[in-house]
């Protein structure tokens, strides 16, 4: 089945493309929109963090109707498509996924995503890609990088177009095959990780993800399902 193309709405400046996408949810049923801005004045990250808007980087939000019970597919398709898009520019780029939906390049974060639920069955997938610059600050939880710093020359608009093709294809892929592809591209599978949550942290072996894209962590012989958190890699050679 061929699914409808996204309509792209371009803005010079927004507080947050996610916030604007949420405002569009429910207006124009069935429409699939991309909201993109050159600059965000209040970009939002996961778990209440902010997302810096550095010039030349890509900020966009996908707005689409998607059943909540298939959220796992949406999460996997969104992140995998970024990894594949980067490889379109450099086939041998060292790109890895980091649960739940970060993308790493040379072991540093090049892309982050914030998924939010709108009204009815509308979902917003907000994506920030460090195309030209990476935010350098002591507060960073994880090393960061841009495509440019990794020697990959890309234009934000061209990257977005390539991404939308990949995303549309991946969203139509069988969920089990998609999960296989996601697992083949993730960092640290079968290795020791720590998941930090609001007020606790759990260390165990990263055993995979389930069909909802929840993390499976093996601790003391049992496999725990983790819904949210930040992953840190424990072993030096990871
Ligand atoms: C994270 O890694 O914490 C998620 C970052 C998500 C940032 C993007 S930029 C476009 C969209 N609009 C936002 O306000 N946030 C997302």
């Amino acid at each position: 089945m061929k699914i409808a193309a996204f309509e792209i709405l371009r803005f010079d400046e927004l507080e947050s493309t996610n916030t604007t996408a949420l405002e569009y949810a429910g207006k124009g049923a069935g429409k699939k929109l991309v909201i993109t801005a050159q600059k965000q004045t209040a970009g939002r990250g996961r778990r209440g963090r902010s997302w810096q808007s550095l010039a030349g980087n890509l900020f966009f939000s996908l707005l689409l109707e998607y059943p909540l019970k298939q959220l796992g597919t949406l999460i996997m398709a969104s992140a995998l498509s970024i990894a594949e898009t980067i490889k379109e520019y450099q086939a041998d780029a060292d790109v890895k996924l980091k649960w739940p939906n970060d993308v790493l390049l040379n072991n540093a974060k090049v892309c982050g995503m914030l998924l939010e639920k709108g009204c009815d069955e509308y979902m917003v997938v907000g994506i920030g890609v460090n195309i030209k610059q990476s935010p350098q600050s002591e507060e960073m939880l994880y090393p960061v990088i841009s495509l440019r710093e990794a020697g990959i020359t890309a234009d934000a608009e061209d990257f977005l177009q390539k991404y939308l093709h990949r995303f549309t294809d991946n969203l139509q892929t069988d969920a089990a095959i998609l999960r296989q592809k996601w697992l083949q591209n993730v960092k640290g599978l079968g290795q020791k990780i720590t998941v930090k949550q609001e007020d606790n942290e759990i260390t165990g072996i990263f055993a995979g993800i389930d069909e909802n894209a929840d993390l499976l962590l093996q601790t003391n012989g049992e496999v725990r399902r983790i819904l949210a958190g930040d992953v840190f890699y424990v072993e030096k050679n990871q």
Side-chain angles (χ1 to χ4, degrees), residues 15-19 35 40 42-53 58-61 101-102 109 111-116 124-129 230:
E15 281 185 9
S16 151
T17 57
N18 264 36
T19 305
I35 310 289
Q40 296 185 116
R44 296 188 278 113
R46 286 174 56 237
R47 312 184 71 214
R49 293 187 284 254
S50 62
W51 184 262
Q52 285 187 43
S53 287
L58 175 61
F59 318 104
F60 68 101
S61 299
N101 40 32
D102 287 350
K109 180 164 167 169
C111 167
M113 300 187 186
L114 175 65
L115 274 79
E116 295 185 294
V124 170
V125 182
I127 303 180
V129 187
D230 291 304

Side-chain angles (χ1 to χ4, degrees), residues 64-79 100-101 114-118 121-125 167 171 175 178 182 209-214 227:
L64 68 169
E65 281 182 290
Y66 205 78
L68 203 54
K69 58 179 190 319
Q70 288 174 33
L71 185 61
T73 300
L74 190 60
I75 294 173
M76 291 183 284
S78 309
N101 40 32
L114 175 65
L115 274 79
E116 295 185 294
K117 192 187 167 322
E121 287 211 310
Y122 280 89
M123 289 301 305
V124 170
V125 182
F167 176 75
L171 210 55
L178 190 63
W182 191 96
I209 53 170
D210 68 9
E211 63 285 358
N212 301 316
D214 294 337
L227 307 184

Side-chain angles (χ1 to χ4, degrees), residues 146-198:
S146 65
L147 294 179
R148 179 153 73 185
E149 287 152 359
I152 299 175
T153 305
D155 165 73
E157 178 63 33
D158 181 66
F159 191 99
L160 175 60
Q161 295 292 347
K162 286 184 165 59
Y163 176 81
L164 292 176
H165 282 116
R166 292 278 173 179
F167 176 75
T168 304
D169 277 0
N170 281 323
L171 210 55
Q172 295 175 91
T173 302
D174 170 79
I177 294 173
L178 190 63
R179 179 145 57 118
Q180 251 347 90
K181 278 172 112 184
W182 191 96
L183 288 168
Q184 279 162 7
N185 283 280
V186 76
K187 176 171 165 163
L189 189 64
Q191 296 183 326
K192 204 186 230 185
I193 58 169
T194 295
V195 184
K196 294 192 182 168
Q197 299 176 314
E198 217 57 61

